[in-house]
PDB file of all heavy atoms in Angstrom:
ATOM      1  N   ARG B  45       0.831  -1.209   0.000  1.00 98.00           N
ATOM      2  CA  ARG B  45       0.000   0.000   0.000  1.00 98.00           C
ATOM      3  C   ARG B  45       0.870   1.265   0.000  1.00 98.00           C
ATOM      4  O   ARG B  45       0.623   2.193  -0.773  1.00 98.00           O
ATOM      5  CB  ARG B  45      -0.933   0.036   1.221  1.00 98.00           C
ATOM      6  CG  ARG B  45      -1.834   1.280   1.202  1.00 98.00           C
ATOM      7  CD  ARG B  45      -2.731   1.442   2.422  1.00 98.00           C
ATOM      8  NE  ARG B  45      -3.419   0.224   2.793  1.00 98.00           N
ATOM      9  CZ  ARG B  45      -3.107  -0.531   3.870  1.00 98.00           C
ATOM     10  NH1 ARG B  45      -2.123  -0.173   4.669  1.00 98.00           N
ATOM     11  NH2 ARG B  45      -3.795  -1.616   4.140  1.00 98.00           N
ATOM     12  N   LYS B  46       1.906   1.285   0.827  1.00 97.00           N
ATOM     13  CA  LYS B  46       2.780   2.467   0.882  1.00 97.00           C
ATOM     14  C   LYS B  46       3.451   2.720  -0.474  1.00 97.00           C
ATOM     15  O   LYS B  46       3.554   3.863  -0.916  1.00 97.00           O
ATOM     16  CB  LYS B  46       3.832   2.306   1.977  1.00 97.00           C
ATOM     17  CG  LYS B  46       3.269   2.463   3.367  1.00 97.00           C
ATOM     18  CD  LYS B  46       4.326   2.206   4.433  1.00 97.00           C
ATOM     19  CE  LYS B  46       3.718   2.216   5.815  1.00 97.00           C
ATOM     20  NZ  LYS B  46       4.678   1.825   6.850  1.00 97.00           N
ATOM     21  N   GLU B  47       3.902   1.644  -1.124  1.00 98.00           N
ATOM     22  CA  GLU B  47       4.548   1.800  -2.433  1.00 98.00           C
ATOM     23  C   GLU B  47       3.544   2.284  -3.478  1.00 98.00           C
ATOM     24  O   GLU B  47       3.840   3.165  -4.274  1.00 98.00           O
ATOM     25  CB  GLU B  47       5.199   0.489  -2.875  1.00 98.00           C
ATOM     26  CG  GLU B  47       5.919   0.587  -4.196  1.00 98.00           C
ATOM     27  CD  GLU B  47       7.055   1.610  -4.227  1.00 98.00           C
ATOM     28  OE1 GLU B  47       7.674   1.856  -3.168  1.00 98.00           O
ATOM     29  OE2 GLU B  47       7.320   2.164  -5.315  1.00 98.00           O
ATOM     30  N   ARG B  48       2.350   1.706  -3.468  1.00 98.00           N
ATOM     31  CA  ARG B  48       1.317   2.130  -4.421  1.00 98.00           C
ATOM     32  C   ARG B  48       0.977   3.606  -4.213  1.00 98.00           C
ATOM     33  O   ARG B  48       0.882   4.380  -5.172  1.00 98.00           O
ATOM     34  CB  ARG B  48       0.052   1.268  -4.263  1.00 98.00           C
ATOM     35  CG  ARG B  48      -1.073   1.663  -5.218  1.00 98.00           C
ATOM     36  CD  ARG B  48      -2.291   0.801  -5.047  1.00 98.00           C
ATOM     37  NE  ARG B  48      -2.860   0.801  -3.718  1.00 98.00           N
ATOM     38  CZ  ARG B  48      -3.617   1.793  -3.206  1.00 98.00           C
ATOM     39  NH1 ARG B  48      -3.878   2.861  -3.914  1.00 98.00           N
ATOM     40  NH2 ARG B  48      -4.109   1.690  -1.989  1.00 98.00           N
ATOM     41  N   GLN B  49       0.811   4.016  -2.969  1.00 98.00           N
ATOM     42  CA  GLN B  49       0.474   5.411  -2.681  1.00 98.00           C
ATOM     43  C   GLN B  49       1.639   6.345  -2.999  1.00 98.00           C
ATOM     44  O   GLN B  49       1.420   7.467  -3.470  1.00 98.00           O
ATOM     45  CB  GLN B  49       0.044   5.557  -1.222  1.00 98.00           C
ATOM     46  CG  GLN B  49      -1.298   4.907  -0.944  1.00 98.00           C
ATOM     47  CD  GLN B  49      -1.669   4.885   0.526  1.00 98.00           C
ATOM     48  OE1 GLN B  49      -0.822   5.006   1.403  1.00 98.00           O
ATOM     49  NE2 GLN B  49      -2.954   4.704   0.788  1.00 98.00           N
ATOM     50  N   ALA B  50       2.861   5.879  -2.762  1.00 98.00           N
ATOM     51  CA  ALA B  50       4.036   6.703  -3.101  1.00 98.00           C
ATOM     52  C   ALA B  50       4.104   6.954  -4.607  1.00 98.00           C
ATOM     53  O   ALA B  50       4.554   8.008  -5.054  1.00 98.00           O
ATOM     54  CB  ALA B  50       5.316   6.023  -2.620  1.00 98.00           C
ATOM     55  N   GLN B  51       3.632   5.989  -5.401  1.00 98.00           N
ATOM     56  CA  GLN B  51       3.596   6.138  -6.855  1.00 98.00           C
ATOM     57  C   GLN B  51       2.327   6.841  -7.325  1.00 98.00           C
ATOM     58  O   GLN B  51       2.138   7.037  -8.524  1.00 98.00           O
ATOM     59  CB  GLN B  51       3.687   4.757  -7.520  1.00 98.00           C
ATOM     60  CG  GLN B  51       5.003   4.055  -7.301  1.00 98.00           C
ATOM     61  CD  GLN B  51       5.066   2.702  -7.986  1.00 98.00           C
ATOM     62  OE1 GLN B  51       4.242   2.363  -8.842  1.00 98.00           O
ATOM     63  NE2 GLN B  51       6.066   1.904  -7.625  1.00 98.00           N
ATOM     64  N   GLU B  52       1.467   7.205  -6.385  1.00 98.00           N
ATOM     65  CA  GLU B  52       0.194   7.879  -6.666  1.00 98.00           C
ATOM     66  C   GLU B  52      -0.636   7.088  -7.672  1.00 98.00           C
ATOM     67  O   GLU B  52      -1.189   7.634  -8.628  1.00 98.00           O
ATOM     68  CB  GLU B  52       0.429   9.319  -7.127  1.00 98.00           C
ATOM     69  CG  GLU B  52       1.120  10.173  -6.079  1.00 98.00           C
ATOM     70  CD  GLU B  52       1.353  11.612  -6.531  1.00 98.00           C
ATOM     71  OE1 GLU B  52       1.123  11.934  -7.708  1.00 98.00           O
ATOM     72  OE2 GLU B  52       1.765  12.403  -5.669  1.00 98.00           O
ATOM     73  N   ARG B  53      -0.733   5.788  -7.427  1.00 98.00           N
ATOM     74  CA  ARG B  53      -1.508   4.903  -8.304  1.00 98.00           C
ATOM     75  C   ARG B  53      -2.733   4.390  -7.562  1.00 98.00           C
ATOM     76  O   ARG B  53      -2.731   4.275  -6.344  1.00 98.00           O
ATOM     77  CB  ARG B  53      -0.633   3.746  -8.769  1.00 98.00           C
ATOM     78  CG  ARG B  53       0.473   4.261  -9.694  1.00 98.00           C
ATOM     79  CD  ARG B  53       1.438   3.196 -10.106  1.00 98.00           C
ATOM     80  NE  ARG B  53       0.792   2.191 -10.945  1.00 98.00           N
ATOM     81  CZ  ARG B  53       1.417   1.066 -11.285  1.00 98.00           C
ATOM     82  NH1 ARG B  53       2.650   0.817 -10.885  1.00 98.00           N
ATOM     83  NH2 ARG B  53       0.797   0.189 -12.045  1.00 98.00           N
ATOM     84  N   THR B  54      -3.754   4.072  -8.313  1.00 97.00           N
ATOM     85  CA  THR B  54      -4.989   3.564  -7.731  1.00 97.00           C
ATOM     86  C   THR B  54      -4.915   2.049  -7.577  1.00 97.00           C
ATOM     87  O   THR B  54      -4.105   1.375  -8.234  1.00 97.00           O
ATOM     88  CB  THR B  54      -6.202   3.910  -8.613  1.00 97.00           C
ATOM     89  OG1 THR B  54      -6.068   3.224  -9.857  1.00 97.00           O
ATOM     90  CG2 THR B  54      -6.332   5.412  -8.828  1.00 97.00           C
ATOM     91  N   LEU B  55      -5.780   1.528  -6.724  1.00 97.00           N
ATOM     92  CA  LEU B  55      -5.910   0.080  -6.585  1.00 97.00           C
ATOM     93  C   LEU B  55      -6.234  -0.558  -7.932  1.00 97.00           C
ATOM     94  O   LEU B  55      -5.663  -1.580  -8.294  1.00 97.00           O
ATOM     95  CB  LEU B  55      -7.028  -0.254  -5.593  1.00 97.00           C
ATOM     96  CG  LEU B  55      -6.655  -0.512  -4.142  1.00 97.00           C
ATOM     97  CD1 LEU B  55      -7.910  -0.634  -3.288  1.00 97.00           C
ATOM     98  CD2 LEU B  55      -5.796  -1.738  -4.004  1.00 97.00           C
ATOM     99  N   LYS B  56      -7.156   0.066  -8.671  1.00 98.00           N
ATOM    100  CA  LYS B  56      -7.586  -0.477  -9.969  1.00 98.00           C
ATOM    101  C   LYS B  56      -6.416  -0.560 -10.939  1.00 98.00           C
ATOM    102  O   LYS B  56      -6.224  -1.577 -11.615  1.00 98.00           O
ATOM    103  CB  LYS B  56      -8.713   0.363 -10.558  1.00 98.00           C
ATOM    104  CG  LYS B  56      -9.212  -0.171 -11.897  1.00 98.00           C
ATOM    105  CD  LYS B  56     -10.471   0.515 -12.351  1.00 98.00           C
ATOM    106  CE  LYS B  56     -10.998   0.056 -13.681  1.00 98.00           C
ATOM    107  NZ  LYS B  56     -10.535  -1.176 -14.250  1.00 98.00           N
ATOM    108  N   ASP B  57      -5.617   0.486 -10.995  1.00 97.00           N
ATOM    109  CA  ASP B  57      -4.475   0.516 -11.899  1.00 97.00           C
ATOM    110  C   ASP B  57      -3.491  -0.613 -11.582  1.00 97.00           C
ATOM    111  O   ASP B  57      -3.066  -1.355 -12.475  1.00 97.00           O
ATOM    112  CB  ASP B  57      -3.782   1.887 -11.799  1.00 97.00           C
ATOM    113  CG  ASP B  57      -2.531   1.971 -12.633  1.00 97.00           C
ATOM    114  OD1 ASP B  57      -2.528   1.462 -13.771  1.00 97.00           O
ATOM    115  OD2 ASP B  57      -1.542   2.563 -12.141  1.00 97.00           O
ATOM    116  N   VAL B  58      -3.154  -0.761 -10.319  1.00 98.00           N
ATOM    117  CA  VAL B  58      -2.180  -1.794  -9.924  1.00 98.00           C
ATOM    118  C   VAL B  58      -2.779  -3.191 -10.093  1.00 98.00           C
ATOM    119  O   VAL B  58      -2.106  -4.103 -10.588  1.00 98.00           O
ATOM    120  CB  VAL B  58      -1.683  -1.559  -8.481  1.00 98.00           C
ATOM    121  CG1 VAL B  58      -0.780  -2.696  -8.011  1.00 98.00           C
ATOM    122  CG2 VAL B  58      -0.941  -0.224  -8.386  1.00 98.00           C
ATOM    123  N   ALA B  59      -4.039  -3.355  -9.717  1.00 98.00           N
ATOM    124  CA  ALA B  59      -4.690  -4.662  -9.870  1.00 98.00           C
ATOM    125  C   ALA B  59      -4.748  -5.068 -11.342  1.00 98.00           C
ATOM    126  O   ALA B  59      -4.484  -6.227 -11.681  1.00 98.00           O
ATOM    127  CB  ALA B  59      -6.089  -4.627  -9.255  1.00 98.00           C
ATOM    128  N   ASP B  60      -5.087  -4.132 -12.213  1.00 98.00           N
ATOM    129  CA  ASP B  60      -5.127  -4.424 -13.654  1.00 98.00           C
ATOM    130  C   ASP B  60      -3.746  -4.809 -14.174  1.00 98.00           C
ATOM    131  O   ASP B  60      -3.602  -5.768 -14.933  1.00 98.00           O
ATOM    132  CB  ASP B  60      -5.664  -3.231 -14.443  1.00 98.00           C
ATOM    133  CG  ASP B  60      -7.161  -3.011 -14.252  1.00 98.00           C
ATOM    134  OD1 ASP B  60      -7.850  -3.917 -13.707  1.00 98.00           O
ATOM    135  OD2 ASP B  60      -7.651  -1.924 -14.623  1.00 98.00           O
ATOM    136  N   ALA B  61      -2.738  -4.075 -13.761  1.00 98.00           N
ATOM    137  CA  ALA B  61      -1.370  -4.366 -14.214  1.00 98.00           C
ATOM    138  C   ALA B  61      -0.888  -5.722 -13.682  1.00 98.00           C
ATOM    139  O   ALA B  61      -0.133  -6.422 -14.363  1.00 98.00           O
ATOM    140  CB  ALA B  61      -0.423  -3.254 -13.764  1.00 98.00           C
ATOM    141  N   ALA B  62      -1.329  -6.076 -12.476  1.00 98.00           N
ATOM    142  CA  ALA B  62      -0.921  -7.348 -11.874  1.00 98.00           C
ATOM    143  C   ALA B  62      -1.803  -8.516 -12.321  1.00 98.00           C
ATOM    144  O   ALA B  62      -1.479  -9.672 -12.034  1.00 98.00           O
ATOM    145  CB  ALA B  62      -0.979  -7.235 -10.355  1.00 98.00           C
ATOM    146  N   ARG B  63      -2.909  -8.177 -12.988  1.00 98.00           N
ATOM    147  CA  ARG B  63      -3.884  -9.173 -13.436  1.00 98.00           C
ATOM    148  C   ARG B  63      -4.483  -9.950 -12.270  1.00 98.00           C
ATOM    149  O   ARG B  63      -4.624 -11.169 -12.310  1.00 98.00           O
ATOM    150  CB  ARG B  63      -3.264 -10.105 -14.462  1.00 98.00           C
ATOM    151  CG  ARG B  63      -2.758  -9.323 -15.686  1.00 98.00           C
ATOM    152  CD  ARG B  63      -2.340 -10.185 -16.800  1.00 98.00           C
ATOM    153  NE  ARG B  63      -3.552 -10.832 -17.337  1.00 98.00           N
ATOM    154  CZ  ARG B  63      -3.537 -11.712 -18.290  1.00 98.00           C
ATOM    155  NH1 ARG B  63      -2.409 -12.068 -18.842  1.00 98.00           N
ATOM    156  NH2 ARG B  63      -4.652 -12.254 -18.731  1.00 98.00           N
ATOM    157  N   ILE B  64      -4.804  -9.192 -11.206  1.00 97.00           N
ATOM    158  CA  ILE B  64      -5.551  -9.743 -10.070  1.00 97.00           C
ATOM    159  C   ILE B  64      -6.736  -8.824  -9.824  1.00 97.00           C
ATOM    160  O   ILE B  64      -6.746  -7.678 -10.280  1.00 97.00           O
ATOM    161  CB  ILE B  64      -4.676  -9.885  -8.793  1.00 97.00           C
ATOM    162  CG1 ILE B  64      -4.041  -8.556  -8.386  1.00 97.00           C
ATOM    163  CG2 ILE B  64      -3.601 -10.936  -8.985  1.00 97.00           C
ATOM    164  CD1 ILE B  64      -3.195  -8.637  -7.134  1.00 97.00           C
ATOM    165  N   SER B  65      -7.734  -9.314  -9.129  1.00 98.00           N
ATOM    166  CA  SER B  65      -8.929  -8.490  -8.930  1.00 98.00           C
ATOM    167  C   SER B  65      -8.641  -7.356  -7.942  1.00 98.00           C
ATOM    168  O   SER B  65      -7.840  -7.507  -7.018  1.00 98.00           O
ATOM    169  CB  SER B  65     -10.098  -9.335  -8.429  1.00 98.00           C
ATOM    170  OG  SER B  65      -9.938  -9.662  -7.074  1.00 98.00           O
ATOM    171  N   MET B  66      -9.310  -6.248  -8.176  1.00 98.00           N
ATOM    172  CA  MET B  66      -9.143  -5.088  -7.301  1.00 98.00           C
ATOM    173  C   MET B  66      -9.575  -5.400  -5.860  1.00 98.00           C
ATOM    174  O   MET B  66      -8.841  -5.056  -4.926  1.00 98.00           O
ATOM    175  CB  MET B  66      -9.914  -3.888  -7.852  1.00 98.00           C
ATOM    176  CG  MET B  66      -9.636  -2.617  -7.091  1.00 98.00           C
ATOM    177  SD  MET B  66     -10.472  -1.188  -7.774  1.00 98.00           S
ATOM    178  CE  MET B  66     -12.165  -1.539  -7.400  1.00 98.00           C
ATOM    179  N   PRO B  67     -10.728  -6.068  -5.637  1.00 98.00           N
ATOM    180  CA  PRO B  67     -11.090  -6.388  -4.253  1.00 98.00           C
ATOM    181  C   PRO B  67     -10.066  -7.293  -3.567  1.00 98.00           C
ATOM    182  O   PRO B  67      -9.784  -7.127  -2.377  1.00 98.00           O
ATOM    183  CB  PRO B  67     -12.442  -7.097  -4.376  1.00 98.00           C
ATOM    184  CG  PRO B  67     -13.002  -6.634  -5.667  1.00 98.00           C
ATOM    185  CD  PRO B  67     -11.807  -6.414  -6.572  1.00 98.00           C
ATOM    186  N   TYR B  68      -9.484  -8.227  -4.315  1.00 98.00           N
ATOM    187  CA  TYR B  68      -8.480  -9.115  -3.717  1.00 98.00           C
ATOM    188  C   TYR B  68      -7.221  -8.329  -3.353  1.00 98.00           C
ATOM    189  O   TYR B  68      -6.673  -8.513  -2.257  1.00 98.00           O
ATOM    190  CB  TYR B  68      -8.134 -10.273  -4.654  1.00 98.00           C
ATOM    191  CG  TYR B  68      -7.282 -11.318  -3.981  1.00 98.00           C
ATOM    192  CD1 TYR B  68      -7.838 -12.194  -3.059  1.00 98.00           C
ATOM    193  CD2 TYR B  68      -5.929 -11.415  -4.246  1.00 98.00           C
ATOM    194  CE1 TYR B  68      -7.064 -13.140  -2.414  1.00 98.00           C
ATOM    195  CE2 TYR B  68      -5.140 -12.363  -3.616  1.00 98.00           C
ATOM    196  CZ  TYR B  68      -5.713 -13.225  -2.692  1.00 98.00           C
ATOM    197  OH  TYR B  68      -4.940 -14.156  -2.057  1.00 98.00           O
ATOM    198  N   LEU B  69      -6.767  -7.451  -4.223  1.00 98.00           N
ATOM    199  CA  LEU B  69      -5.602  -6.626  -3.904  1.00 98.00           C
ATOM    200  C   LEU B  69      -5.876  -5.761  -2.679  1.00 98.00           C
ATOM    201  O   LEU B  69      -5.008  -5.605  -1.818  1.00 98.00           O
ATOM    202  CB  LEU B  69      -5.204  -5.747  -5.094  1.00 98.00           C
ATOM    203  CG  LEU B  69      -3.995  -4.826  -4.869  1.00 98.00           C
ATOM    204  CD1 LEU B  69      -2.752  -5.626  -4.477  1.00 98.00           C
ATOM    205  CD2 LEU B  69      -3.732  -3.972  -6.097  1.00 98.00           C
ATOM    206  N   SER B  70      -7.079  -5.237  -2.580  1.00 98.00           N
ATOM    207  CA  SER B  70      -7.453  -4.443  -1.408  1.00 98.00           C
ATOM    208  C   SER B  70      -7.353  -5.271  -0.132  1.00 98.00           C
ATOM    209  O   SER B  70      -6.837  -4.815   0.888  1.00 98.00           O
ATOM    210  CB  SER B  70      -8.871  -3.897  -1.575  1.00 98.00           C
ATOM    211  OG  SER B  70      -9.296  -3.247  -0.398  1.00 98.00           O
ATOM    212  N   GLU B  71      -7.850  -6.514  -0.199  1.00 98.00           N
ATOM    213  CA  GLU B  71      -7.786  -7.411   0.968  1.00 98.00           C
ATOM    214  C   GLU B  71      -6.331  -7.734   1.330  1.00 98.00           C
ATOM    215  O   GLU B  71      -5.987  -7.810   2.511  1.00 98.00           O
ATOM    216  CB  GLU B  71      -8.552  -8.703   0.683  1.00 98.00           C
ATOM    217  CG  GLU B  71     -10.052  -8.511   0.532  1.00 98.00           C
ATOM    218  CD  GLU B  71     -10.751  -8.300   1.855  1.00 98.00           C
ATOM    219  OE1 GLU B  71     -10.705  -9.201   2.700  1.00 98.00           O
ATOM    220  OE2 GLU B  71     -11.351  -7.224   2.025  1.00 98.00           O
TER     221      GLU B  71
END
């Protein structure tokens, strides 16, 4: 979470790039 926020990226953006669901990444 800290790295994602430091890059100013959204959960959706990172989840899409990682090819995992956004709710799962949030969990």
Side-chain angles (χ1 to χ4, degrees):
R45 182 184 313 107
K46 286 176 186 174
E47 182 60 30
R48 179 180 58 77
Q49 290 173 340
Q51 294 181 14
E52 298 180 352
R53 293 175 66 189
T54 65
L55 265 172
K56 181 170 179 16
D57 176 41
V58 174
D60 288 347
R63 301 189 68 183
I64 56 179
S65 75
M66 187 177 69
Y68 189 75
L69 180 58
S70 174
E71 293 284 298

